Amino acid sequence: MIPHSATSKENKANNEAGGKLIRKYIGSGIRYAIPLAISVGLVVWLFDKVDFKEVMRTIREGCDFFWIAVMMLITTISHMIRGVRWGLQLRAAGVKRMPVVCEWVTIWGAYALNLLFPQLGEAWRCVFVSKRQNTPLSTVIGTDVGDRGSDLIVVLLLMGIALVVAHPEISDFITRYSFGEKIEKLTETPWLWIGTAIIIAIFWAVCHYLKEYKWVRQLDTNLSRMWEGFKVIFTMRKWWLYLILTAGIWTCYFLETYVCFFAFPFTRHLIDTRMDYGFLPGLVVFVFGSCSMAIPSNGGLGPWNLAVMFALSLFGLSNTEGTAFSIVMWSCQAVMLILLGLFSAGYITVTGKRTTHSTPTKSN
C-alpha cells in the first residue's frame, strides 16, 4: 500500500506541474495574441477609413510591377548583407564561421517566421546558430541584441535627420492628427523619463543586492554572456567592415521605398515635381515606416501600413493612394519572405542541422 503522504506529495507535484504548464500556455497565448490583435485591429481600422474597392482599382490600373520586382530584389540583397554582418559579430564573439549561405538563411528564415509571430524569427535564429555551432545561447542572443541595437542607433540618427530636413511636414503631422499630438505630449512629460529611470534603478538593485538567490545569479550570468556578445561591436578588429555593411543594409532599406515611388503615378509625381527628386518624401516615408516596427505586430502588418499612409499624406496623397502603396509594398515583400523562408527550410533540411564540436575560435 502506498503511504497517504507519498500520494499527497505526488498529487501536489502533478498539480504544480499542471499549473506551470497552463501558465506557460496562457503566457504564450497572450504574447502571440496581442500582436495579432494589434495587426488585425489596425488593418480593420485602416480599411474602415478608405474605400477598399477604390484601393484595388488604383492598384490594378496604376501599379508598375517592374519596380515592385526591383524592390523585392533590393530587399533580398539587404537581408544577405545583414546575414554577413551578423556572421562578423558571431565570429568576433568566438563562434566558428558558418558558410555564407547559412548566414543568409538565418536572416531569411527569421524574417519569414516573424510574419507568423513577432520575434519568433529572432528566437529561432539564435537557437539554430547556438545548436549548429555548439555555442552558449546567451552569447548568440547577445550578438542579436547588438545587431538590433545598432539598428536602433541608425533609426534614431535618421529620425534626427528627418526632423531637420522635413520639419514643416512633421509639424503638419503633429497639428493635423491627434496621434501626433499625443506623441509630442508623451515625450515632453517628465514622468516618462522619471519612470524609465526608476525601472532601471530597480533592475540594477535586484541584480546587485539579491545575488544570493539562484535565479538572480542565473540572470546575471546570462546578462554577462549577452553583454559579451553585444560588446564585440565595439571591440572587433574589423569594425570598419561592420560600419560599411550597416550602411549597405540601410541604403538598401531606403532604396526599397524609393524605387516603389516609380511604381505608382501619384508617388512618381513626387519625384518629377520636387527639386530633391523625391528623396525628401522617400526619407520621411522610410523613417515613419522604420519607427512603426517598434510596435509588436506580424511582420509590421498594420502599424507599418498606417505609418506609410500617414507619411505619404504629408505630401498631399490621399488615404486611398497611401493605402494602395503600402498594401502592394508590404504584400510583395511578404510573398518574397515566404519564398526565401521555404528556401531556408530546404537548405537546412538538405545540409542538416549540423553541430560544430570543434573549439570556438576568436577570429573576426
Side-chain angles (χ1 to χ4, degrees):
M1 179 180 293
I2 300 175
H4 177 71
S5 59
T7 304
S8 299
K9 289 181 179 179
E10 183 179 350
N11 290 336
K12 183 179 179 180
N14 290 336
N15 290 335
E16 289 180 353
K20 289 181 179 179
L21 188 62
I22 291 173
R23 288 193 295 271
K24 177 182 177 181
Y25 283 125
I26 291 176
S28 299
I30 293 174
R31 187 165 65 251
Y32 295 137
I34 290 177
L36 180 60
I38 291 174
S39 295
V40 173
L42 289 177
V43 170
V44 170
W45 182 88
L46 176 64
F47 283 112
D48 183 58
K49 297 295 182 181
V50 299
D51 186 343
F52 182 68
K53 292 182 179 179
E54 184 67 17
V55 170
M56 296 308 297
R57 186 191 66 79
T58 301
I59 294 173
R60 286 195 305 268
E61 297 180 2
C63 183
D64 184 350
F65 281 94
F66 168 79
W67 292 106
I68 300 300
V70 173
M71 177 273 295
M72 295 168 70
L73 176 62
I74 294 174
T75 302
T76 302
I77 294 173
S78 72
H79 294 164
M80 294 166 69
I81 298 174
R82 179 177 286 278
V84 172
R85 189 185 72 168
W86 194 39
L88 189 68
Q89 286 178 260
L90 289 169
R91 294 193 297 278
V95 180
K96 189 175 177 64
R97 183 166 194 165
M98 297 183 294
V100 67
V101 177
C102 191
E103 294 175 346
W104 300 344
V105 161
T106 61
I107 304 301
W108 291 339
Y111 275 78
L113 288 172
N114 282 340
L115 292 174
L116 297 176
F117 300 111
Q119 304 307 316
L120 178 61
E122 303 302 316
W124 168 80
R125 70 166 175 160
C126 290
V127 172
F128 171 72
V129 171
S130 175
K131 289 183 176 180
R132 188 185 191 280
Q133 303 302 103
N134 192 30
T135 195
L137 177 60
S138 52
T139 298
V140 180
I141 292 175
T143 62
D144 183 53
V145 173
D147 181 71
R148 293 306 181 182
S150 60
D151 289 340
L152 176 61
I153 293 172
V154 174
V155 170
L156 292 176
L157 289 173
L158 290 173
M159 285 178 60
I161 295 172
L163 287 172
V164 172
V165 301
H167 182 72
E169 289 78 9
I170 302 296
S171 298
D172 186 46
F173 168 75
I174 293 174
T175 56
R176 284 171 57 187
Y177 296 102
S178 60
F179 179 70
E181 294 178 356
K182 290 178 181 177
I183 293 176
E184 185 180 37
K185 291 179 180 178
L186 180 63
T187 56
E188 291 177 352
T189 178
W191 292 110
L192 172 66
W193 309 108
I194 293 173
T196 302
I198 291 174
I199 292 173
I200 294 174
I202 292 174
F203 182 77
W204 177 85
V206 168
C207 294
H208 188 74
Y209 293 109
L210 300 179
K211 289 185 177 181
E212 66 272 14
Y213 293 97
K214 182 179 179 180
W215 66 271
V216 175
R217 292 198 302 271
Q218 186 64 41
L219 175 64
D220 187 61
T221 300
N222 289 333
L223 288 176
S224 296
R225 288 177 176 173
M226 289 173 63
W227 171 245
E228 289 297 320
F230 175 78
K231 73 177 184 180
V232 297
I233 294 177
F234 309 102
T235 59
M236 64 173 63
R237 291 196 298 271
K238 296 183 179 179
W239 58 269
W240 52 270
L241 180 57
Y242 187 89
L243 292 179
I244 292 174
L245 293 173
T246 300
I249 292 170
W250 286 91
T251 299
C252 287
Y253 284 174
F254 171 76
L255 290 176
E256 291 168 20
T257 301
Y258 186 71
V259 299
C260 279
F261 275 23
F262 291 91
F264 293 91
F266 45 82
T267 46
R268 192 161 52 244
H269 177 72
L270 298 176
I271 299 173
D272 295 337
T273 60
R274 297 184 69 90
M275 292 297 292
D276 50 25
Y277 301 103
F279 282 102
L280 176 58
L283 174 64
V284 173
V285 172
F286 169 56
V287 170
F288 269 55
S290 298
C291 293
S292 72
M293 299 306 291
I295 302 174
S297 61
N298 296 61
L301 178 62
W304 184 86
N305 301 85
L306 283 174
V308 169
M309 184 187 77
F310 279 138
L312 288 173
S313 72
L314 301 181
F315 298 93
L317 273 65
S318 68
N319 287 344
T320 297
E321 293 169 335
T323 302
F325 180 92
S326 69
I327 286 178
V328 170
M329 186 172 176
W330 187 92
S331 300
C332 290
Q333 281 190 331
V335 170
M336 178 206 64
L337 290 175
I338 291 171
L339 294 176
L340 291 175
L342 292 174
F343 171 85
S344 301
Y347 174 85
I348 293 172
T349 301
V350 171
T351 60
K353 298 180 181 179
R354 295 190 297 269
T355 302
T356 303
H357 296 285
S358 56
T359 304
T361 59
K362 269 286 182 180
S363 63
N364 60 356

